[in-house]
Amino acid sequence: MYKRIVAKVGTNVLSKDDGSIDASVMAHLAKQVSELKRNGAEVILVTSGAVGVGRALLMQKKGADTVAEKQVFAAVGQIKLMSMYADLFAQEGYLSAQVLATKEDFRDSQHYDNMKSCMENLLRDNVIPIVNENDVVAVAELLFTDNDELAGLIASQIHADALLILTSVDGVIAGNVGDPSATVIAEVDFSDEGSIENIEKHITPEKSEFGRGGMQTKFAIAKKLSREGITTHIVNGKKEGALVAAFGGKAIGTKFLPQKKL
């Protein structure tokens, strides 16, 4: 369905209840990304999880971590997280590469051009770029809102066809998330102002348990990318085959339609 995509996986998708990383979910994600590659897609993976891996390795309980603690967790966890991804993609026959980013990389034109060139060259050589925020040095003013923001910036940077956000909910819910009668809004057309007003009332400010993000951020990013002609999908990454299903055009999660380019 798409030629070039950015797939973003959130901390809540990758994490077990205790905050440690779920290796089986990572393995399934790697298989899905590899399947997309075999179907001819160029894929950039934006991943969370370094802090969770580091916390587990240092045997620290989840809690309100200080910036200093998060830096240590990220420094310890990033190398293990990337090693896990490298092994999983190697089993599928693909090389992967680590790309760490801060907001400064998108503010400085030379950094921006260098990063874009690196991404293009990795894709050219059939390598899977795996991007994460550089939590070791990213504090306060250098922090992204979350990896959703980072994924959106990269999708714009490389002129992706679509951004696929894997999260822990089924999409934008019309009603309370815990209400079994609540339904998923299947499609959002940003050119329909009346429809957008109706949908916005369902966008809540709550943040995810382990991450910094929420549906408000995802909605804002989808709206921005739509103006650039980029489609966004929000799907439940805990569900088997969700990434492949969204890529294949199946009715899953919430799809934000791109507006026609001027």
Side-chain angles (χ1 to χ4, degrees), residues 20-222:
S20 62
I21 293 299
D22 191 329
S24 64
V25 171
M26 283 188 66
H28 183 52
L29 174 63
K31 285 184 179 296
Q32 290 185 88
V33 170
S34 299
E35 183 174 340
L36 301 190
K37 291 280 291 176
R38 284 190 283 270
N39 285 329
E42 295 177 331
V43 185
I44 290 178
L45 177 62
V46 177
T47 183
S48 302
V51 171
V53 171
R55 184 186 292 111
L57 289 171
L58 290 166
M59 295 181 289
Q60 300 291 319
K61 294 181 180 179
K62 65 178 182 179
D65 306 316
T66 65
V67 170
E69 287 172 330
K70 286 182 178 179
Q71 286 176 309
V72 171
F73 295 154
V76 172
Q78 185 67 28
I79 189 170
K80 176 65 175 178
L81 182 70
M82 291 306 303
S83 175
M84 293 170 71
Y85 274 123
D87 289 343
L88 290 168
F89 282 120
Q91 291 171 24
E92 299 291 332
Y94 291 104
L95 284 173
S96 57
Q98 173 182 262
V99 180
L100 294 175
T102 68
K103 262 196 172 180
E104 195 64 28
D105 295 316
F106 293 90
R107 292 172 176 167
D108 181 273
S109 61
Q110 185 173 353
H111 284 199
Y112 186 90
D113 290 342
N114 288 343
M115 185 175 178
K116 180 179 180 180
S117 177
C118 176
M119 295 287 197
E120 293 286 356
N121 291 334
L122 289 169
L123 293 174
R124 178 201 63 198
D125 291 341
N126 204 30
V127 177
I128 300 171
I130 304 177
V131 189
N132 197 358
E133 182 172 12
N134 192 349
D135 292 309
V136 176
V137 300
V139 294
E141 70 278 3
L142 293 182
L143 282 171
F144 294 101
T145 304
D146 59 18
N147 272 346
D148 293 323
E149 182 187 8
L150 172 57
L153 288 168
I154 291 172
S156 178
Q157 180 185 54
I158 65 163
H159 305 295
D161 298 308
L163 168 62
L164 278 62
I165 299 176
L166 303 181
T167 186
S168 55
V169 296
D170 292 336
V172 179
I173 309 296
N176 296 321
V177 174
D179 184 352
S181 66
T183 58
V184 176
I185 297 171
E187 198 168 86
V188 176
D189 183 354
F190 285 109
S191 64
D192 184 346
E193 291 297 332
S195 175
I196 294 305
E197 289 180 6
N198 181 55
I199 291 167
E200 284 181 331
K201 68 184 181 184
H202 300 298
I203 307 297
T204 59
E206 284 82 5
K207 302 294 181 68
S208 56
E209 181 181 2
F210 298 119
R212 296 197 307 271
M215 195 57 72
Q216 278 189 335
T217 302
K218 294 174 175 61
F219 185 82
I221 291 164

